[in-house]
Amino acid sequence: MKPIFGPGPSLELRLVLAILLSISLIFIDSKLIAFKQVRVYLHSAVSPLQYIANMPGQLMDSMSNQVITREQLKKQNSSLREQLLLNRADQLLMESLAKENTRLRALLGSPVRNDSRKLVAEIMAVDSDPFSHQVVIDKGKLDGVFEGQPVINDIGVIGQVLHVGTTTSRVLLITDASHGIPVRIARNDIRAVATGTGELNRLQLPHIPRSTDIGEGDVLVTSGLGGVFPEGYPVAVVNRFDYQEGKPYADVMATPVVELDRLRYLLLIWP
């Protein structure tokens, strides 16, 4: 039986013909402009296929960029949070240092006589005994501190040095039950002795006759007697003057001008 379709040219011949045809078309296209319009039509027809072929790659690139961007944003957000926390901590420290600087400036500007030597000290410890009002400061013999030395701050009298060590000292507060300080009424110069009561916010003036001209609101200042405290430093304000019939002495109480439970810096003075 004779086949309908006869054998065609060999594969080698087909390859040679295709190469010759390609070379001819390339030569004609480079020398003539006949295929220019054809190329435009071919590009227009192929461009949608190119877009479709590029879409998966572009989609993957976009998703990858979004993932990278989100990770970068997370890292940046975490870094900014840490920096904000550090800045806030620094701000708190700066505020604390500013307040401390203000306190020190006020302390050094306290009403100490110009010819008096003065030294700032900081409290290191507070006596845990509720019946003993004493504090330990960071100055001692190496700094020239001596027993009985008066201690004040920018508001008024605090106490006096009780014991002196090499680098530390113990200060007895004016509210200690064993402490007494000669004072006078700033309004009329009446002299008295203010003694501690064992309470941080109260002093008493014992043995004051009921006829003495003392009233609530009178300011007590150091009288200079006794040779310990210089004259004129604020000590306390009278908050009670009371008496009972038949008793020779009045009940006189005063509140220290210094808040002794909030001390941090003190001022040692040399009379």
Side-chain angles (χ1 to χ4, degrees), residues 154-174:
D154 57 310
I155 298 176
V157 175
I158 291 174
Q160 63 186 101
V161 176
L162 183 63
H163 301 296
V164 181
T166 304
T167 57
T168 61
S169 299
R170 184 173 290 271
V171 175
L172 184 68
L173 304 182
I174 59 174

Side-chain angles (χ1 to χ4, degrees), residues 198-215:
E199 300 179 18
L200 283 173
N201 61 347
R202 188 169 67 167
L203 297 173
Q204 63 179 354
L205 277 67
H207 311 303
I208 300 295
R210 54 185 292 183
S211 60
T212 305
D213 183 15
I214 297 178

Side-chain angles (χ1 to χ4, degrees), residues 13-268:
L13 181 60
R14 293 177 185 179
L15 176 61
V16 171
L17 292 175
I19 293 173
L20 292 176
L21 180 61
S22 299
I23 294 173
S24 300
L25 291 175
I26 292 173
F27 178 76
I28 294 173
D29 182 58
S30 62
K31 297 300 182 179
L32 303 175
I33 60 173
F35 291 97
K36 183 177 181 180
Q37 192 66 29
V38 176
R39 282 202 308 272
V40 173
Y41 293 145
L42 290 175
H43 287 164
S44 301
V46 172
S47 59
L49 298 177
Q50 291 178 335
Y51 281 115
I52 294 173
N54 290 335
M55 282 182 62
Q58 292 178 348
L59 182 61
M60 293 299 296
D61 291 340
S62 177
M63 293 177 62
S64 177
N65 290 333
Q66 288 183 358
V67 171
I68 294 175
T69 303
R70 290 191 63 180
E71 290 297 327
Q72 290 177 345
L73 289 176
K74 287 182 179 180
K75 291 180 179 179
Q76 291 178 357
N77 192 22
S78 177
S79 177
L80 290 175
R81 286 180 181 274
E82 293 178 0
Q83 188 62 40
L84 179 60
L85 184 61
L86 292 175
N87 290 340
R88 286 179 177 176
D90 292 340
Q91 183 180 2
L92 292 176
L93 180 60
M94 292 298 294
E95 291 177 355
S96 176
L97 291 176
K99 292 179 181 178
E100 182 175 338
N101 188 30
T102 302
R103 289 195 297 267
L104 289 175
R105 286 181 179 273
L107 190 62
L108 292 174
S110 60
V112 183
R113 290 173 175 80
N114 293 330
D115 58 348
S116 298
R117 179 187 169 191
K118 52 189 176 182
L119 178 66
V120 176
E122 185 176 2
I123 291 180
M124 298 178 59
V126 178
D127 202 322
S128 59
D129 186 354
F131 302 102
S132 178
H133 294 181
Q134 299 179 17
V135 295
V136 178
I137 60 175
D138 62 347
K139 297 293 184 290
K141 287 184 180 180
L142 295 179
D143 304 288
V145 181
F146 59 90
E147 292 184 1
Q149 185 171 9
V151 182
I152 66 170
N153 69 356
D154 57 310
I155 298 176
V157 175
I158 291 174
Q160 63 186 101
V161 176
L162 183 63
H163 301 296
V164 181
T166 304
T167 57
T168 61
S169 299
R170 184 173 290 271
V171 175
L172 184 68
L173 304 182
I174 59 174
T175 53
D176 189 275
S178 63
H179 189 273
I181 177 173
V183 297
R184 63 178 175 84
I185 307 298
R187 176 173 58 87
N188 53 19
D189 290 335
I190 293 177
R191 291 189 296 271
V193 175
T195 61
T197 61
E199 300 179 18
L200 283 173
N201 61 347
R202 188 169 67 167
L203 297 173
Q204 63 179 354
L205 277 67
H207 311 303
I208 300 295
R210 54 185 292 183
S211 60
T212 305
D213 183 15
I214 297 178
E216 295 182 4
D218 280 339
V219 178
L220 306 176
V221 297
T222 53
S223 65
L225 301 178
V228 176
F229 292 93
E231 181 182 0
Y233 290 108
V235 178
V237 177
V238 176
N239 61 3
R240 186 173 73 180
F241 183 86
D242 194 13
Y243 61 89
Q244 295 181 0
E245 293 294 338
K247 291 188 176 182
Y249 300 116
D251 182 17
V252 185
M253 294 293 176
T255 302
V257 294
V258 178
E259 294 180 338
L260 299 175
D261 58 342
R262 299 184 181 181
L263 295 175
R264 181 176 179 185
Y265 294 103
L266 313 176
L267 197 61
L268 299 164

